[in-house]
Amino acid sequence: MSLRVTVWNEFVHERNNEFVRSIYPDGIHEQIAGHLRAQGLEVRTATLDRPDHGLTPEVLDATDVLMWWGHAAHDKVRDDIVDRVQQRVLHGMGLVVLHSGHFSKIFKRLMGTSCGLTWREAAERERLWVVSPNHPITQGCGRFIEIPNAEMYGEFFDIPDPDELLFVSWFEGGEVFRSGAVWHRGRGRVFYFRPGHETFPIFHHPQVLQVLANGVRWCAFAGNDQMVSIGQAPNQKEPLEELSPKDYVAGALRHPPASVC
Ligand code: ZN
């Protein structure tokens, strides 16, 4: 069975801004979905204005990896849908969060921090340096990815220390930024990737698209499926080995242990 991906987009800028629409006529979600489909993945899209934002239990149950692009409408995402997505991540669904998705409810929920950063819109050159060349997500990137015009994101980026840092960006104006990083949450894998400002054609960049495909494949691994589901583990009291008689029974001291006599 091929990998099942849902690309979510709030789909606001492409409708209310003609310039953004000229770059992404069918929306950022369809641009990314088209590339992933060409890689042989099974891809659907979902947007804010659909019932349940397109993220019904049926859709999420049939999603191995969810990709998230949001910017102007983070606060319009319903909290019960955020709960639902979080639960799916804890039970093994991968999540790829793009660019301004750093301020999405779901990313902040999963990180547990403000996820704030500094930014500047000045069409600067950006180099995303590969700092983890052995990681599957950085394959095909060489030493760095260069983006001629990008919005700057700078440190401090208020995220918990990642399990692995994959890219560090340098910007023409002098800032640096942790622009690609991964975490585990429950059985799920989370990948944050910085590029993607809506007024630049960044999701047409071949290496950016390559990283997205790599990221989807890496995030699809849902952990050890022999384990009981996170949060549903029954209390297993039976020991694997035979226990020797103990002086302690059910937390009560029957006889003082010899060591304290
Ligand atoms: Zn942006």
Side-chain angles (χ1 to χ4, degrees), residues 71 99-100 151 153 197-198:
H71 178 223
H99 187 62
S100 41
E151 178 188 23
Y153 276 8
H197 190 64
E198 65 278 0

Side-chain angles (χ1 to χ4, degrees), residues 128-145:
L128 293 101
W129 289 91
V130 172
V131 296
S132 185
N134 295 326
H135 198 284
I137 291 180
T138 64
Q139 298 316 297
C141 297
R143 294 175 68 210
F144 58 81
I145 299 172

Side-chain angles (χ1 to χ4, degrees), residues 134-212:
N134 295 326
H135 198 284
I137 291 180
T138 64
Q139 298 316 297
C141 297
R143 294 175 68 210
F144 58 81
I145 299 172
E146 184 159 312
I147 297 175
N149 299 113
E151 178 188 23
M152 185 280 291
Y153 276 8
E155 299 284 344
F156 175 62
F157 184 19
D158 184 20
I159 46 171
D161 285 345
D163 292 347
E164 203 160 356
L165 183 61
L166 310 183
F167 296 96
V168 172
S169 280
W170 164 90
F171 292 90
E172 204 175 333
E175 288 85 354
V176 295
F177 187 75
R178 288 168 288 170
S179 49
V182 292
W183 298 261
H184 286 86
R185 289 294 182 268
R187 280 176 57 188
R189 291 177 166 188
V190 179
F191 171 42
Y192 174 77
F193 191 48
R194 195 210 84 83
H197 190 64
E198 65 278 0
T199 57
F200 301 115
I202 285 169
F203 293 125
H204 293 271
H205 191 300
Q207 284 178 303
V208 169
L209 291 170
Q210 168 86 56
V211 170
L212 296 187

